[in-house]
Amino acid sequence: MTSIRLIVLALIFAAVILAVEGTVTWVRANRGGVRAINERLRLIATGHQRPEVLARLRRDAWGGGIYLPGPLADTGRKLDNLLRGASFGMSPARLLFLMVLAVGLLFVATVVFALAAGLTISFGTILMAACFAGATGLGLPLMFIARRADRRRKRMAEQFPVALDIFVRGLRAGHPVAAALDLLTHEMSDPIGSEFGIVTDEVAYGADLRDALHNMANRCDLDDLRMFVVSLSVQSETGGNLAEILENLSKVIRDRASMVLMVRALSSEGRMTATILTALPVMAFVALFLLNPPFYLQVANDPAFSVGFGCLIALYTVGFVIIRRLVNLKV
């Protein structure tokens, strides 16, 4: 019995040692990905190959590109730009399909609920159900994606002057343009670090540097990036001191950013008012309809409801367009 106890204790001790060693090994293996400064380096640190990382960051793995034919092509381009700006791994066609499906299901569920509640299905009821389904299935997802894209774009605009300074220092240290760009992929966090990583990977696989930077400017939709691309293009054709050119560009961008912040501070009250007046009616309507559907459905059968509700939607649309133009300040 003593020998059996010793053997059992030895096996338990060995199992604990192996478990601790395995845990430490797993933590060390994943520490590089966790501590990676941006998404691209994290994917590379976790064992993904560069072609796979490039396809994933450009959303090729989800079928990036324009997929909607005919009259929906323009809508597809706008949705594609919105999804790329928000860094969503979804194609425009899939997003549109899911939103239309959500609208259809919500519309059917609302009509079925009205029938189950013993209400008469009239034009007003159908109009109310369609508005609720559209606001929930189309309005709220687009508002969320647009908000995320705007935040990501602002973050990139804040990072770009710093990235430009690092790029200029790399050039002054004697690095070529490609090596200076690769330096940004290791020094800058997301989102701009991964975006420059896409540029370096595209150049490594045979793309022209100006085309890769032009694609990045289109993905990010930043005027500062477009000026950067134009500066590189002009310098490559006419020559000159690229470091000095980009240093002057960095100063211009910082001065422009200061002006933008000043304008945003002066217009903050108006922009906040515009946001509340635009989002609050939709969110309040959806929330109240979810909490108490009979509050709307019981009055939807009134003959005056259809006219009044239609005028309300028209006035909201006109107000939305006017408010957007008032707060859309160009600097």
Side-chain angles (χ1 to χ4, degrees):
M1 293 298 297
T2 303
S3 300
I4 293 176
R5 289 178 181 176
L6 291 175
I7 293 173
V8 170
L9 291 175
L11 292 176
I12 294 174
F13 177 77
V16 172
I17 292 297
L18 291 175
V20 171
E21 184 178 357
T23 303
V24 171
T25 303
W26 181 82
V27 170
R28 288 179 178 177
N30 289 274
R31 182 177 296 176
V34 173
R35 291 186 175 182
I37 196 171
N38 54 56
E39 178 70 11
R40 175 177 173 270
L41 295 180
R42 187 187 67 80
L43 291 173
I44 293 176
T46 52
H48 293 80
Q49 299 298 321
R50 288 185 68 179
E52 182 183 357
V53 173
L54 179 61
R56 184 166 181 174
L57 292 177
R58 292 194 311 186
R59 301 191 306 112
D60 293 346
W62 293 277
I66 307 302
Y67 332 84
L68 301 177
L72 295 178
D74 186 59
T75 302
R77 281 190 289 270
K78 291 180 180 179
L79 285 176
D80 189 65
N81 292 333
L82 185 62
L83 290 172
R84 288 183 184 276
S87 187
F88 262 86
M90 186 180 297
S91 68
R94 184 180 179 186
L95 175 64
L96 191 59
F97 172 76
L98 291 177
M99 290 192 300
V100 171
L101 180 62
V103 170
L105 292 177
L106 289 170
F107 177 78
V108 172
T110 305
V111 173
V112 170
F113 176 82
L115 289 173
L119 300 174
T120 303
I121 302 300
S122 62
F123 177 75
T125 306
I126 294 176
L127 180 62
M128 176 61 65
C131 290
F132 168 71
T136 307
L138 285 176
L140 294 182
L142 290 178
M143 288 172 59
F144 172 75
I145 296 174
R147 178 63 177 171
R148 176 169 172 174
D150 186 59
R151 292 178 61 183
R152 188 172 184 269
R153 192 179 299 110
K154 290 179 181 177
R155 171 63 178 164
M156 192 173 298
E158 294 173 357
Q159 289 179 308
F160 186 68
V162 180
L164 202 56
D165 291 341
I166 295 175
F167 185 75
V168 171
R169 291 170 186 171
L171 294 177
R172 292 190 182 279
H175 295 291
V177 174
L181 287 175
D182 187 66
L183 183 65
L184 296 177
T185 65
H186 295 84
E187 297 294 334
M188 297 300 300
S189 59
D190 280 330
I192 203 168
S194 295
E195 291 293 339
F196 275 111
I198 295 175
V199 173
T200 57
D201 288 340
E202 288 179 345
V203 172
Y205 288 108
D208 184 72
L209 177 61
R210 286 180 293 179
D211 293 338
L213 289 172
H214 182 70
N215 294 335
M216 176 184 173
N218 290 334
R219 285 194 307 269
C220 302
D221 192 22
L222 283 178
D223 294 334
D224 297 341
L225 272 174
R226 293 189 177 93
M227 289 191 291
F228 174 67
V229 174
V230 170
S231 300
L232 284 180
S233 301
V234 172
Q235 191 274 338
S236 63
E237 294 177 359
T238 62
N241 190 343
L242 181 59
E244 184 177 355
I245 294 173
L246 295 181
E247 190 173 7
N248 293 332
L249 177 61
S250 176
K251 183 178 183 302
V252 171
I253 291 174
R254 292 182 186 276
D255 293 340
R256 180 173 174 271
S258 300
M259 181 64 68
V260 170
L261 292 177
M262 183 184 301
V263 172
R264 287 181 63 85
L266 294 175
S267 62
S268 59
E269 182 180 356
R271 290 185 294 104
M272 181 58 67
T273 303
T275 301
I276 293 175
L277 292 178
T278 302
L280 185 59
V282 178
M283 298 178 66
F285 169 69
V286 172
L288 188 57
F289 197 97
L290 290 174
L291 294 174
N292 188 16
F295 179 82
Y296 290 107
L297 295 176
Q298 288 177 355
V299 300
N301 296 324
D302 192 289
F305 175 80
S306 301
V307 179
F309 194 70
C311 294
L312 179 64
I313 295 175
L315 290 174
Y316 175 81
T317 304
V318 173
F320 174 79
V321 174
I322 293 175
I323 288 174
R324 290 289 296 178
R325 292 189 175 183
L326 288 175
V327 300
N328 189 18
L329 303 175
K330 300 293 184 181
V331 181

